[in-house]
Amino acid sequence: MKILVTSGGTSEAIDQVRSVTNHSTGRLGKVITETLLNAGHQVCLITTRQALKPELHPNLTMIEIQNTSDLLQEMKRIVPDYQVLIHSMAVSDYSPVYMTGLDEVQASQDLSDFLHKKNTETKISSKDEVQVLFLKKNPKIISLVKEWNPSIHLIGFKLLVDVTEEHLIQVARESLKKNQADLIVANDLTQINANQHLAYLVEEKDYQIATSKQEIANFLVKRIQGFDC
Amino acid sequence: MKILVTSGGTSEAIDQVRSVTNHSTGRLGKVITETLLNAGHQVCLITTRQALKPELHPNLTMIEIQNTSDLLQEMKRIVPDYQVLIHSMAVSDYSPVYMTGLDEVQASQDLSDFLHKKNTETKISSKDEVQVLFLKKNPKIISLVKEWNPSIHLIGFKLLVDVTEEHLIQVARESLKKNQADLIVANDLTQINANQHLAYLVEEKDYQIATSKQEIANFLVKRIQGFDC
């Protein structure tokens, strides 16, 4: 099958040396990609410079992106060519618009004016004691996938921090419906470390539990075999 | 000689999944460390998880840090034990204090109140269309080095973006004086890529030019031999 995997975390530039980054090692995406390749699938992995990468493989194509805008452009282009999308990338919810010293912000009559400004400096000066950064919401890429390819099977991810199992599964179910996904892998940052990765593999009617990255990958590969492509 | 090298870029958490990051591959710090080890020096490298690392070596100690506060703590502790510091890490000038939706900011009478607030959420909600992030200036670690160890030889770095050679050298000279450094490696992001790295090695009276990371490293190793330790 032709499967598209996204992995790593996006980074949204504040200026040419600083950015707002979503942390993700890319380790899970790497394990999923390797497991898919071992099962004989053709994989395209969209990832970032910082993320861990699988080794080269004749059935693997890799595309490096940096920010949400790059990701949107690439996915819009290639999602129509794939039968399954496993969207494990940590995508930034917001992008920087304008950064300035507190004085300029305090002197303003209407703060929404700053949403139409742009920094012209290549590296914002570090003279001010306090800086204020305005950020605007990014488009939710996962919600666009089915517009680009209505027949693609969509596996989404939901990462929360220190919540109850019930809440995590409820949020995953909402995401499942809203994004017309087949499955949501829901996990809690407090239950992820180098050796363990607790995840709830949530579908419409039930869910299963995996306790390691390899178990998550094995489950997904098995589940994909059952997809009607 | 006992030499302390810093390398990579610091990352300041906004919440548990997002941060403001200074980008640096750590490639130059890696080359400098390897060149120092080859010349027989003892090296301690303070670096970050994301940065490129040299291979293990009996004369190399590595310490991983994440943010400016970690870095300050580690450097304060170990700077007194070293004869030379090569401070190539890209250190964040600001750290996030509080992030909230634009509505809350617009409703406030005094914006400086936000500097005393803290996000209690582990992952800030992505419901607001616009978010505002308040950041406060970090202590300038390079300016504290001589307080911790008055006899250490200090090699600092200055990265600007798309400036004239004259301006770059002038800013490096100011940093040289202000921080009581022996030498500042001044470079412009527009003249750095995987194959080339133009740098001005600026001392009190003159400067030299290097055109690659290896040339920078060779120059520094040679210069260090001349230090009176």
Side-chain angles (χ1 to χ4, degrees):
Chain A
M1 241 179 265
K2 286 188 72 181
I3 301 172
L4 181 60
V5 179
T6 68
S7 168
T10 58
S11 213
E12 310 291 329
I14 298 173
D15 59 18
Q16 287 190 45
V17 299
R18 305 175 179 101
S19 65
V20 176
T21 302
N22 270 51
H23 288 297
S24 173
T25 59
R27 195 172 278 125
L28 178 59
K30 177 177 182 284
V31 174
I32 292 172
T33 299
E34 288 165 347
T35 309
L36 288 166
L37 290 168
N38 286 340
H41 296 288
Q42 259 200 294
V43 183
C44 175
L45 176 65
I46 304 185
T47 186
T48 59
R49 188 179 63 74
Q50 292 84 359
L52 291 171
K53 317 254 185 332
E55 292 199 7
L56 298 179
H57 186 287
N59 289 338
L60 174 65
T61 316
M62 269 199 276
I63 298 174
E64 252 184 53
I65 60 102
Q66 188 178 25
N67 59 33
T68 310
S69 163
D70 297 343
L71 179 66
L72 191 142
Q73 211 175 347
E74 282 302 320
M75 286 184 68
K76 189 173 178 176
R77 188 173 67 83
I78 63 176
V79 157
D81 300 335
Y82 287 82
Q83 296 160 288
V84 179
L85 166 63
I86 302 178
H87 189 34
S88 74
M89 186 175 266
V91 182
S92 305
D93 293 310
Y94 294 92
S95 290
V97 176
Y98 185 67
M99 181 154 147
T100 188
L102 183 63
D103 295 348
E104 190 187 342
V105 180
Q106 279 174 323
S108 158
Q109 297 295 316
D110 181 0
L111 295 184
S112 59
D113 288 348
F114 291 112
L115 302 175
H116 308 290
K117 291 203 174 188
K118 268 195 178 161
N119 291 100
T120 50
E121 316 89 307
T122 47
K123 182 177 178 180
I124 296 164
S125 155
S126 54
K127 291 205 174 103
D128 290 282
E129 273 306 309
V130 174
Q131 291 267 14
V132 184
L133 176 64
F134 293 86
L135 303 105
K136 67 166 193 328
K137 201 167 179 174
N138 289 330
K140 272 276 181 197
I141 292 177
I142 191 174
S143 73
L144 301 169
V145 168
K146 289 274 169 162
E147 288 180 27
W148 297 328
N149 181 353
S151 68
I152 201 166
H153 288 278
L154 172 58
I155 297 174
F157 284 70
K158 196 83 206 173
L159 176 69
L160 294 178
V161 185
D162 203 12
V163 296
T164 62
E165 183 182 316
E166 290 70 33
H167 181 66
L168 187 57
I169 289 168
Q170 186 203 323
V171 170
R173 284 250 155 77
E174 287 163 14
S175 174
L176 200 67
K177 270 191 206 149
K178 205 166 85 184
N179 302 305
Q180 304 169 56
D182 291 80
L183 193 152
I184 299 288
V185 180
N187 38 199
D188 186 315
L189 192 63
T190 62
Q191 292 175 317
I192 301 174
N193 59 45
N195 305 313
Q196 176 204 285
H197 192 138
L198 187 70
Y200 301 90
L201 305 139
V202 182
E203 298 186 71
E204 210 185 323
K205 298 222 169 67
D206 55 3
Y207 67 87
Q208 299 205 37
I209 294 176
T211 60
S212 70
K213 294 189 205 310
Q214 190 59 60
E215 264 185 44
I216 299 171
N218 292 346
F219 179 91
L220 294 182
V221 170
K222 208 173 131 195
R223 194 63 197 78
I224 285 167
Q225 315 286 9
F227 285 160
D228 173 31
C229 293
Chain B
M1 242 180 268
K2 286 187 73 181
I3 301 173
L4 180 61
V5 179
T6 69
S7 166
T10 59
S11 214
E12 311 291 331
I14 297 173
D15 59 18
Q16 287 191 47
V17 299
R18 306 175 179 102
S19 65
V20 177
T21 303
N22 269 51
H23 287 298
S24 174
T25 59
R27 195 172 279 126
L28 178 59
K30 177 178 182 281
V31 174
I32 291 172
T33 299
E34 288 165 346
T35 309
L36 288 166
L37 290 167
N38 285 339
H41 296 287
Q42 260 201 293
V43 183
C44 175
L45 176 64
I46 303 185
T47 186
T48 60
R49 188 180 62 76
Q50 292 85 358
L52 292 171
K53 316 254 185 333
E55 291 199 8
L56 298 179
H57 186 287
N59 289 336
L60 173 65
T61 316
M62 270 199 276
I63 298 174
E64 252 185 52
I65 61 103
Q66 188 178 24
N67 59 33
T68 310
S69 163
D70 299 343
L71 179 67
L72 191 142
Q73 212 175 345
E74 283 300 321
M75 286 184 69
K76 189 174 179 176
R77 188 173 68 83
I78 64 176
V79 156
D81 300 335
Y82 287 82
Q83 296 161 287
V84 179
L85 166 63
I86 302 180
H87 189 33
S88 74
M89 187 176 265
V91 182
S92 305
D93 293 311
Y94 294 92
S95 289
V97 176
Y98 184 68
M99 181 154 149
T100 188
L102 183 64
D103 295 347
E104 189 186 343
V105 180
Q106 277 173 324
S108 160
Q109 297 295 316
D110 182 0
L111 295 186
S112 58
D113 288 348
F114 291 112
L115 301 175
H116 308 291
K117 291 203 174 187
K118 265 194 180 164
N119 291 100
T120 50
E121 316 89 307
T122 46
K123 181 177 179 181
I124 296 165
S125 154
S126 54
K127 290 205 174 103
D128 289 284
E129 273 305 308
V130 174
Q131 291 267 14
V132 183
L133 176 64
F134 292 86
L135 306 105
K136 68 166 192 330
K137 202 168 178 173
N138 291 330
K140 271 277 181 197
I141 293 177
I142 190 172
S143 72
L144 301 169
V145 168
K146 290 275 170 162
E147 288 179 28
W148 298 329
N149 181 352
S151 67
I152 201 167
H153 289 279
L154 172 57
I155 296 175
F157 284 70
K158 197 81 206 176
L159 177 69
L160 295 178
V161 185
D162 204 12
V163 295
T164 62
E165 183 182 316
E166 290 69 33
H167 181 66
L168 186 57
I169 290 167
Q170 186 204 323
V171 170
R173 285 250 155 77
E174 287 162 14
S175 174
L176 200 67
K177 271 190 206 153
K178 204 165 85 184
N179 302 306
Q180 304 170 58
D182 291 80
L183 192 152
I184 299 288
V185 180
N187 38 198
D188 187 314
L189 191 64
T190 61
Q191 292 175 318
I192 301 174
N193 60 44
N195 306 312
Q196 174 203 286
H197 191 138
L198 188 68
Y200 300 90
L201 305 137
V202 181
E203 298 186 71
E204 210 185 323
K205 298 224 169 67
D206 55 2
Y207 67 87
Q208 300 207 36
I209 294 174
T211 60
S212 70
K213 294 188 203 313
Q214 190 59 59
E215 265 186 43
I216 298 170
N218 293 345
F219 179 91
L220 294 182
V221 170
K222 208 173 132 198
R223 194 66 197 76
I224 285 165
Q225 315 285 11
F227 285 160
D228 174 30
C229 292

